[in-house]
Amino acid sequence: IFASSRLFFVGARNGHMPKLMAFLNITQLTPVPCLIILGLITLSMLTTSNVFVLINYASFVESTFITLSVGALLYLRYKEPERNRPIKVNLVLPILFFLLCSILVCVPIFTQPWDVGFGLVIVASGIPVYFLFCRFKKPAWLQNIFWSLECTVQKLCIALEEETGEEEEATVGQSKNALDERGEAPELERLHQD
């Protein structure tokens, strides 16, 4: 839950998930809304009576995405060999890993097709959510609903959006330019310094 919440947070920060998942708690600097959402998802997974079926769903989906990621890495190594790479490894390791992941993806397709199909349905159910929350321009009434939901989540989780480097520089620049004619800081900054 703790590692996945950061993945959800970064996805939301980049616009791939709902904005309310891109909030950080102001005291702990943790993605509390993501932790709560993943906690609820985890609790809903406990409703199944057969934990092995749940493991099959999750392992197939995870192995599929890992296989696709490593396959993309190998494709880029072949198509763009001159590209700068901070970490270089011998190609034997990624190729071996790709083959093992491919086996983990292909074997369940033949041995447990219903579990694989249901896992794919679960993944596909995220597509309409993505388009509804992230991709399409929402009508004004729906934007108002999302805005009130985001405000409520911010208040409940004591959370804000993460500042980017540009916003931090702008804040510092504004505080430097906020001197009055006598060269002194305004009253609010004097209170803040005390």
Side-chain angles (χ1 to χ4, degrees):
I1 291 176
F2 295 118
S4 298
S5 67
R6 266 80 176 166
L7 296 175
F8 281 40
F9 165 73
V10 171
R13 186 177 61 187
N14 292 335
H16 302 300
M17 298 189 114
K19 184 180 173 185
L20 65 90
M21 297 176 82
F23 297 143
L24 287 174
N25 180 276
I26 60 174
T27 56
Q28 303 298 319
L29 299 178
T30 55
V32 173
C34 289
L35 287 168
I36 292 170
I37 291 169
L38 281 171
L40 293 173
I41 291 171
T42 304
L43 289 174
S44 70
M45 289 180 178
L46 292 175
T47 60
T48 182
S49 59
N50 189 353
V51 73
F52 296 110
V53 173
L54 186 62
I55 291 170
N56 288 339
Y57 297 155
S59 64
F60 173 76
V61 170
E62 184 178 3
S63 296
T64 300
F65 285 107
I66 289 173
T67 304
L68 292 173
S69 299
V70 175
L73 172 119
L74 292 171
Y75 176 79
L76 287 174
R77 286 285 296 260
Y78 173 73
K79 282 300 224 184
E80 300 178 19
E82 71 285 341
R83 192 173 201 170
N84 183 23
R85 290 177 175 80
I87 299 172
K88 293 187 179 186
V89 295
N90 190 342
L91 275 179
V92 173
L93 185 63
I95 290 172
L96 183 64
F97 188 71
F98 178 77
L99 291 173
L100 290 174
C101 285
S102 298
I103 291 170
L104 289 175
V105 170
C106 293
V107 169
I109 291 174
F110 298 107
T111 60
Q112 298 164 328
W114 287 104
D115 292 346
V116 168
F118 195 69
L120 292 175
V121 167
I122 291 172
V123 170
S125 68
I127 295 171
V129 172
Y130 169 74
F131 281 106
L132 176 66
F133 284 100
C134 304
R135 194 72 173 160
F136 290 138
K137 181 165 174 48
K138 297 172 252 331
W141 62 271
L142 191 56
Q143 286 179 357
N144 290 337
I145 292 172
F146 286 151
W147 183 81
S148 0
L149 181 62
E150 289 167 7
C151 288
T152 304
V153 167
Q154 284 180 324
K155 290 174 185 176
L156 289 175
C157 298
I158 311 169
L160 293 172
E161 276 188 272
E162 180 183 38
E163 284 188 352
T164 62
E166 296 169 1
E167 290 172 347
E168 290 173 11
E169 289 174 12
T171 305
V172 170
Q174 287 172 354
S175 63
K176 286 181 181 177
N177 294 332
L179 299 176
D180 62 13
E181 293 83 31
R182 295 172 288 160
E184 296 177 354
E187 191 62 34
L188 284 175
E189 288 192 8
R190 266 193 245 128
L191 289 175
H192 181 66
Q193 291 171 355
D194 293 342

